[in-house]
Amino acid sequence: MDTAIDLLSSWMNDARSAVFFGGAGVSTASGIPDFRSAAGLYVTAAGNGREPEYLLSHECLIAEPAEFFTFHRTHLVHPEAKPNRAHLALARLEDSGHLAAVVTQNIDGLHQAAGSRTVHELHGSVERNHCVQCGRAIDLADIPDEPVIPVCPDCGGMVRPDVVLYGEGLDEQVIDASIRAIQQADVLIVGGTSLNVYPAAGLIRYYRGHRLVLINLTETPADKGADLVIHSPIDEVLDTVVQRNCDTTPR
Ligand code: OAD
């Protein structure tokens, strides 16, 4: 693994427009479970006759909003979570001019909390919410614990998170910005994602370079096409990358 990390460090040192494409595995070291691992949400929160995919769907939001919001608040909102070494390393790489953007499937806001500025959130963010009736934007911090189904202080409409639910489309501007960043990337690091969920996972195909790096605990469908594969904890790997050989002096 040392040689692989040394190679990645030197690639990142040379990089001027690298992009990081990530998923839930980036935040597991912050105490937020991923979806498909043994300790993931789709395993631990399954049961009660309801699939997590259903509880994360537009259909559930409309048909059973109380169920939806109970699941959402219990499993997807983590106000106590702090950025880990992976988030912090990526913010340093951006600050020092090596990394152009983070494209993430995560909805936890931890990249921004770490200091990353260019973050394309393919699946939205739990931090942002809006009233489905009047459109008023409401921050997560301003939503009280009760009632279970959040209510707009202006019009009494339901307040929902700005996250992409199953059955809903991704924001086209976010997709376009992500594709542009990936097309222009000199290095593409894909990490902490099983690459199971489309269209997000398909965006890495827009990469045109020859420095495609996969960092994941387990094998992914993109490993065989990658130029470098590291099966280790991503927080450990990215932290080592910024400590070693890579000049992260802010520019
Ligand atoms: P998954 O749970 O499918 O995949 C997470 C991957 O991260 C797994 O392959 C783990 O092995 C790996 N992993 C976990 N911890 C890690 C660590 N510390 N270091 C390195 N790798 C680690 O999560 P995503 O791929 O993000 O969508 O899932 C994609 C989408 O599925 C989510 O955005 C969500 C979900 O349904 C929506 O809710 C729309």
Side-chain angles (χ1 to χ4, degrees), residues 23-25 28-29 34-37 42 56 105-106 123 164 166 192-197 215-218 232-235:
T28 51
D34 65 8
F35 294 92
R36 295 174 181 81
S37 297
Y42 288 177
L56 291 168
Q105 299 161 89
N106 296 348
H123 293 160
V164 179
Y166 281 93
T193 173
S194 64
L195 293 172
N196 257 296
V197 174
I215 309 171
N216 210 58
L217 281 182
T218 51
S232 303
I234 193 154
D235 50 311

Side-chain angles (χ1 to χ4, degrees), residues 3 15 26 37 53 76 80 92 105 112 128 154 163 171 187 192 194 205 214 216 222-223 225 232 235 240 243 248:
T3 326
V26 175
S37 297
E53 283 98 333
L76 298 176
E80 74 296 342
R92 269 182 73 181
Q105 299 161 89
Q112 291 92 333
R128 300 184 297 272
D154 286 350
V163 300
D171 183 306
V187 177
S194 64
R205 294 196 195 122
L214 254 297
N216 210 58
D223 283 15
S232 303
D235 50 311
T240 312
Q243 311 278 354
T248 53

Side-chain angles (χ1 to χ4, degrees), residues 129-131 135-139:
N129 297 264
H130 72 275
C131 170
R136 176 177 165 167
I138 302 180
D139 285 347

